[in-house]
Amino acid sequence: MATYTPKNTTAILQKLRFFMRSTEVVKSPLQAYIVPSGDAHQSEYLAPCDCRRQHVSGFTGSAGTAVVTEHYAALWTDGRYHMQAEQQLDENWTLMREGVRQRALWYRKRS
């Protein structure tokens, strides 16, 4: 079993959140920013410049979606990657395990 070290994402999330609320960058402040695993062409293999979810969260698995709001960040992934994500996500992130029903109200509880 591989062992992973979490990437510190504090500065990345601060910068992203600054741009999410900056009206010089966006027309009106964004409530959430969704970072999928894929690229614009749905390619099977991603070029390093298209690994946006990995950059923002530190999670290197091939399947997952990150969602960043003003105060919270969460990563959804399936059962193949639960243990890996637990090790790679730092304290800024909440792991949302796909298929676990009690986690479905994450945004409502935190907004």
Side-chain angles (χ1 to χ4, degrees), residues 12 15 27 32 39 46 83 101-102:
I12 293 168
K15 194 171 197 176
K27 192 173 190 177
D39 66 5
L46 299 179
M83 291 187 343
R101 189 171 186 196
Q102 66 268 23

Side-chain angles (χ1 to χ4, degrees), residues 14-64:
Q14 287 173 341
K15 194 171 197 176
L16 176 58
R17 288 173 173 139
F18 169 79
F19 288 120
M20 287 172 59
R21 61 181 177 267
S22 172
T23 54
E24 293 180 16
V25 178
V26 293
K27 192 173 190 177
S28 60
L30 301 177
Q31 299 296 309
Y33 191 78
I34 300 171
V35 187
S37 295
D39 66 5
H41 308 287
Q42 298 298 313
S43 302
E44 182 176 359
Y45 301 104
L46 299 179
C49 63
D50 289 322
C51 296
R52 294 176 291 275
R53 194 234 31 248
Q54 179 179 338
H55 174 73
V56 76
S57 69
F59 174 63
T60 61
S62 65

Side-chain angles (χ1 to χ4, degrees), residues 37 53 59-66 74-86 88-89 94-100:
S37 295
R53 194 234 31 248
F59 174 63
T60 61
S62 65
T65 302
L75 176 93
W76 277 258
T77 192
D78 62 49
R80 297 173 294 167
Y81 295 107
H82 290 173
M83 291 187 343
Q84 179 180 340
E86 286 172 356
Q88 289 185 320
L89 298 175
T94 299
L95 173 59
M96 307 303 290
R97 293 168 176 85
E98 287 182 9
V100 178

Side-chain angles (χ1 to χ4, degrees), residues 3-9 57-58 85-91:
T3 303
Y4 301 95
T5 302
K7 171 183 177 178
N8 186 331
T9 62
S57 69
E86 286 172 356
Q87 292 179 19
Q88 289 185 320
L89 298 175
D90 70 4
E91 68 280 352

